[in-house]
Amino acid sequence: MKERWRRLITVIAAAGIAFALAWGFVGLPGFGRYPGPYGDMINSLAPYQRRVTNAVAAVNFDYRGLDTLGEEFILLASVCGLVLLLR
């Protein structure tokens, strides 16, 4: 394949990706204007249910604790595998 065709295909693909990104960004709400109810619900319920002042920590360690434990196990397994390989 000639270099001219490669450049043309690359430019067309890059333009398509740029269009898709721009189209996706146009539909986003403004910064700080989250339309969903979950953030407001967590902010109002977490201090009383979990007795914490940080709502992010309450979600991460209390509400989704098992999921976080699974992610930590994956991280531990990958670090152990890397140490084993580089030994």
Side-chain angles (χ1 to χ4, degrees):
M1 183 182 284
K2 291 186 178 182
E3 187 172 333
R4 181 177 179 186
W5 285 104
R6 278 191 223 148
R7 285 186 183 174
L8 180 66
I9 292 172
T10 303
V11 167
I12 291 172
I17 291 171
F19 175 74
L21 275 172
W23 186 35
F25 284 145
V26 167
L28 289 175
F31 183 75
R33 300 177 194 263
Y34 174 67
Y38 300 112
D40 296 332
M41 189 183 321
I42 288 294
N43 283 337
S44 64
L45 293 177
Y48 302 109
Q49 286 182 348
R50 299 291 135 197
R51 294 181 181 45
V52 296
T53 56
N54 188 350
V56 175
V59 170
N60 198 21
F61 297 116
D62 287 338
Y63 293 119
R64 297 185 60 195
L66 288 176
D67 182 46
T68 303
L69 185 64
E71 291 168 2
E72 294 296 328
F73 178 72
I74 291 170
L75 179 65
L76 176 69
S78 64
V79 168
C80 287
L82 183 68
V83 167
L84 191 68
L85 282 174
L86 295 178
R87 222 174 106 195

